[in-house]
Amino acid sequence: MTPRQRLDAVRERIARACARCGRKPEEVTLVAVSKTHPAEAVLALHQAGQNLFGESYVQEALPKMEALAGQGLAWHFIGRLQKNKVKYIAGKFDLLHTIDSLELASIVHKKSAALGLVQPVLLQVNLAHEEQKAGCGPEDAEALARAIAGLDGLRLDGLMLMPPWDPDPEANRGLFAQARQLRDALARSLGLALPELSMGMSHDVEQAVEEGATLVRVGTDLFGQRPCAL
């Protein structure tokens, strides 16, 4: 399949899922996960009509972003963010999906504020309590969200969920619904809009959209299998 065919197929899946649950396709933003894929592949997908890309590794993302500067691309950081790497990415990404501690949030806040910027972020939640994954537990989400919202170098835009891997696309529907309910509860409690809910990948895009995702992170179905793992 060509990049355009892949992109059209994913967009069609999103549109059909939206139709089933009474949403509009424009309510869902596609993040093309370009980690481990070369700048040439990103450019090809961009030329097919995709403008927003997600990267997970600072050391890979920055050279790729520099190589594609001037192409009109937007970038999200969707991987685990190490505290010592924050200084390299301050002001370079439109959204950070993976803020999961007050310590990390404070570092991003300080770097952003020093540049006179307000960095949009998402709070990553670990609803399945997987020890090997980042993200705060639901029991800690309100206190952490409130603390993040109090940092003037940040703007809390919503939640990000990376549920357990399961080949059954229906397996995590309950967690998707739980994430939406938690986001809505936090919005009411904090008095914030919290418009974004980042969840769903190539194999479970439909389920995530049907449960309220506003950002879906799709890599394999847009780029094919990753050429390597960093």
Side-chain angles (χ1 to χ4, degrees):
M1 296 176 68
T2 67
R4 185 175 296 278
Q5 288 171 330
R6 289 180 178 272
L7 180 58
D8 287 345
V10 172
R11 287 176 172 173
E12 178 62 21
R13 290 172 61 194
I14 293 171
R16 289 180 179 178
C18 285
R20 286 194 294 271
C21 63
R23 301 179 67 193
K24 298 177 180 178
E26 53 266 31
E27 295 176 16
V28 181
T29 299
L30 175 60
V31 183
V33 178
S34 48
K35 64 179 181 181
T36 75
H37 294 286
E40 293 79 9
V42 174
L43 183 58
L45 195 63
H46 169 59
Q47 291 171 340
Q50 175 66 21
N51 295 325
L52 175 58
F53 295 86
E55 290 285 330
S56 295
Y57 308 110
V58 172
Q59 69 273 22
E60 177 198 357
L62 296 182
K64 192 182 302 183
M65 293 165 70
E66 183 176 353
L68 294 167
Q71 296 291 336
L73 305 186
W75 301 90
H76 286 187
F77 193 83
I78 61 172
R80 179 174 289 191
L81 180 56
Q82 297 174 299
K83 293 184 283 291
N84 64 350
K85 298 292 180 64
V86 172
K87 59 178 177 271
Y88 299 115
I89 69 166
K92 296 185 182 294
F93 289 89
D94 294 320
L95 183 65
L96 306 182
H97 287 226
T98 55
I99 301 299
D100 65 348
S101 71
L102 183 56
E103 181 182 11
L104 177 59
S106 297
I107 293 171
V108 176
H109 150 71
K110 290 177 182 177
K111 294 296 183 183
S112 299
L115 295 173
L117 303 173
V118 176
Q119 173 67 61
V121 301
L122 302 180
L123 171 60
Q124 182 175 355
V125 292
N126 186 344
L127 301 185
H129 294 95
E130 293 182 276
E131 293 184 4
Q132 74 276 23
K133 284 187 180 177
C136 74
E139 66 279 2
D140 300 320
E142 180 170 353
L144 183 51
R146 192 175 297 278
I148 292 172
L151 299 173
D152 56 14
L154 305 181
R155 188 185 77 209
L156 181 61
D157 278 358
L159 301 183
M160 182 268 212
L161 173 68
M162 186 176 291
W165 164 255
D166 196 297
D168 179 3
E170 288 291 332
N172 287 314
R173 185 182 288 273
L175 288 177
F176 292 151
Q178 186 180 341
R180 183 194 71 245
Q181 293 160 4
L182 178 59
R183 188 275 310 269
D184 293 348
L186 291 175
R188 290 191 297 269
S189 178
L190 275 60
L192 298 174
L194 302 185
E196 303 294 359
L197 193 54
S198 171
M199 58 188 191
M201 297 187 290
S202 287
H203 76 297
D204 55 12
V205 163
E206 290 90 343
Q207 289 76 14
V209 169
E210 289 166 6
E211 296 301 333
T214 65
L215 294 159
V216 292
R217 310 180 304 268
V218 177
T220 301
D221 284 0
L222 291 173
F223 290 101
Q225 293 297 323
R226 295 174 193 158
C228 64
L230 296 186

